[in-house]
Amino acid sequence: YLSYAWDKPIFTATKPDPGFWRAVGSAAASCIAGGGAAWLALLYLVPLSLALNFIMLAWITVCGFLTVLMRPSRTSGIVNVLGAFACGIMTTYCLEVWRVHYTSNPMFKAIPAPAAAWMFLLTGGFFAAREADRWWDRVTRIEAGQLRRGYTGRLEDARSSVQADRQRILAEIQDTHQGAKVEEAISVLI
């Protein structure tokens, strides 16, 4: 508030972490790679099979539960990438089923193959979003640690890069008798 009232800009100590896009991109690229791998496998190695879609459905389901239940970590990042990869496989599988009019697959009696392809593509997006969430959690923990460093919980111990600003802010708080409220607000934020 004081920064706004005094028309003073606030500069952050660090610029945004570029690793966010790398993390989300890895999950998205994994989905695309899964689709490419499935296309090559279906083209040259594996015929369309009912067992494949049930194995992949189980894989995606397990990855989905794990990524929701796990605390954000490197392991959950691996789960997100594997889930996105499986979604890419299933997206390509559904499109291939639709292309060759493979109607004996019971999975596509309830959900048409094009709709299922969209569903798996969006599920791949879910894993990319979970990867973004994992990255934000990591950055939040780092920033919270930086904010707590040197924090005593007492307003009198506050530091400032410009001493005149510190004195002016503390005087404003003292004149309005808001010291306890300011300390409580800061403890909530940290």
Side-chain angles (χ1 to χ4, degrees):
Y1 168 76
L2 291 175
S3 170
Y4 174 76
W6 294 343
D7 196 28
K8 289 189 65 105
I10 295 177
F11 300 101
T12 59
T14 59
K15 53 186 183 175
D17 193 341
F20 168 79
W21 291 110
R22 187 174 44 241
V24 174
S26 70
S30 177
C31 187
I32 294 167
W39 179 74
L40 288 173
L42 290 171
L43 193 63
Y44 296 112
L45 303 173
V46 181
L48 292 173
S49 73
L50 189 57
L52 175 66
N53 65 5
F54 288 118
I55 291 169
M56 289 292 107
L57 281 173
W59 180 353
I60 292 169
T61 302
V62 168
C63 287
F65 277 115
L66 286 176
T67 192
V68 169
L69 297 175
M70 292 174 76
R71 187 169 154 69
S73 64
R74 286 186 195 263
T75 306
S76 65
I78 292 168
V79 168
N80 291 333
V81 168
L82 290 175
F85 187 81
C87 288
I89 290 172
M90 284 307 292
T91 300
T92 300
Y93 178 83
C94 294
L95 291 174
E96 189 65 15
V97 165
W98 182 42
R99 188 182 71 78
V100 298
H101 307 291
Y102 185 64
T103 56
S104 64
N105 189 328
M107 177 179 158
F108 300 113
K109 298 228 187 286
I111 302 172
W118 275 108
M119 178 186 71
F120 286 116
L121 187 63
L122 292 174
T123 306
F126 162 77
F127 285 108
R130 289 296 298 163
E131 190 60 15
D133 192 39
R134 182 184 76 84
W135 195 261
W136 283 325
D137 182 73
R138 177 188 169 277
V139 170
T140 300
R141 279 187 278 121
I142 290 170
E143 289 176 355
Q146 290 171 344
L147 285 172
R148 285 188 197 103
R149 193 174 320 131
Y151 174 69
T152 64
R154 295 174 22 141
L155 200 52
E156 297 82 33
D157 297 332
R159 292 176 292 185
S160 174
S161 57
V162 178
Q163 194 62 23
D165 286 346
R166 179 185 181 278
Q167 290 170 350
R168 196 169 36 242
I169 291 168
L170 289 176
E172 174 84 19
I173 293 169
Q174 188 176 21
D175 290 346
T176 58
H177 306 290
Q178 299 294 316
K181 288 184 179 181
V182 170
E183 285 181 355
E184 180 184 352
I186 292 171
S187 69
V188 167
L189 290 172
I190 289 182

